[in-house]
Amino acid sequence: MAIDGPEVSRAIYGYLAPDETYDAYLFSVEEPVTRAIGVIVPARDEHAGFRPELTLLAGETEVASIADPGLSERKTEWEPFSLTTFWEGGEQEIAFEPGVEYELRVEPGDGYASSGRYVIVFGGPEAFTASESVRTLLYLPVIWFGAYGGAPPHWNWWALIPLGILVAGIVLITQALVRRSRKRGGSAL
């Protein structure tokens, strides 16, 4: 899958399915840039043995192998955007050069599970266009329920908060529009 490069902060939500050896993402950069790349995994029992690693290739040449910290205790981090707690995986700072097509692979790693949800994270400054922001907002429920990358949905109680606010907002706007319409209709009589 082609993705935008690491010039800005980016999160790629994916799912390594049981029948896949790896997921691959292709990108390039327009100017030299150094960024941290890492992978995180939702902190759920179903992912306890999933410790994916990243392999970065430039053509046929391996540029980096970013492995999970292994048997050490996994650190967790609450991510409010996705309403999920994640286990931190491997991370490494890498220098990228223009004119090179990079392939970033997500592989099962050394855990006992070969499948699971993951998020590739690129460090860097945040910059979003209006269309990216709208697409992201529309995609949020998929992220909240872990159904990204073809993964089966996973219930997330935290998602009820923004969904409840959204539904309440729609109800209030609808009520206001109905009242306004009735006032206009009533004054004409």
Side-chain angles (χ1 to χ4, degrees), residues 79-159:
E79 210 288 302
F81 177 79
S82 61
L83 303 176
T84 305
T85 299
F86 288 92
W87 281 310
E88 296 176 8
E91 181 177 286
Q92 183 176 332
E93 196 162 288
I94 299 171
F96 298 95
E97 296 297 327
V100 176
E101 183 172 67
Y102 292 97
E103 179 181 342
L104 183 61
R105 292 183 181 177
V106 179
E107 300 170 305
D110 290 334
Y112 57 82
S114 62
S115 175
R117 293 172 188 81
Y118 62 84
V119 181
I120 300 168
V121 290
F122 291 99
E126 294 197 4
F128 302 101
T129 65
S131 65
E132 287 173 330
S133 297
V134 169
R135 278 194 313 257
T136 300
L137 286 173
L138 294 174
Y139 195 65
L140 274 176
V142 173
I143 293 171
W144 293 337
F145 290 106
Y148 44 84
H154 183 277
W155 183 251
N156 182 352
W157 288 102
W158 288 105

Side-chain angles (χ1 to χ4, degrees), residues 35-76:
R35 292 286 184 256
I37 297 181
V39 64
I40 56 178
V41 173
R44 300 182 182 133
D45 290 342
E46 66 192 81
H47 294 109
F50 185 53
R51 294 180 175 254
E53 67 182 36
L54 302 176
T55 301
L56 182 66
L57 303 167
E60 298 296 318
T61 306
E62 185 176 303
V63 175
S65 179
I66 306 168
D68 185 86
L71 297 176
S72 63
E73 177 101 13
R74 286 174 133 174
K75 293 179 185 174
T76 60

Side-chain angles (χ1 to χ4, degrees), residues 2-7 10 12 26-28 122 132 135:
I3 61 170
D4 291 329
E7 290 89 352
R10 187 172 318 285
I12 314 305
L26 302 172
F27 64 92
S28 59
F122 291 99
E132 287 173 330
R135 278 194 313 257

Side-chain angles (χ1 to χ4, degrees), residues 156-181:
N156 182 352
W157 288 102
W158 288 105
L160 292 179
I161 295 169
L163 290 175
I165 291 169
L166 177 64
V167 168
I170 291 170
V171 167
L172 291 173
I173 290 169
T174 302
Q175 286 177 339
L177 291 173
V178 167
R179 282 188 202 127
R180 184 175 172 191
S181 173

Side-chain angles (χ1 to χ4, degrees), residues 20-35:
E20 296 176 326
T21 307
Y22 61 86
D23 286 348
Y25 300 91
L26 302 172
F27 64 92
S28 59
V29 296
E30 294 184 17
E31 56 187 56
V33 64
T34 300
R35 292 286 184 256

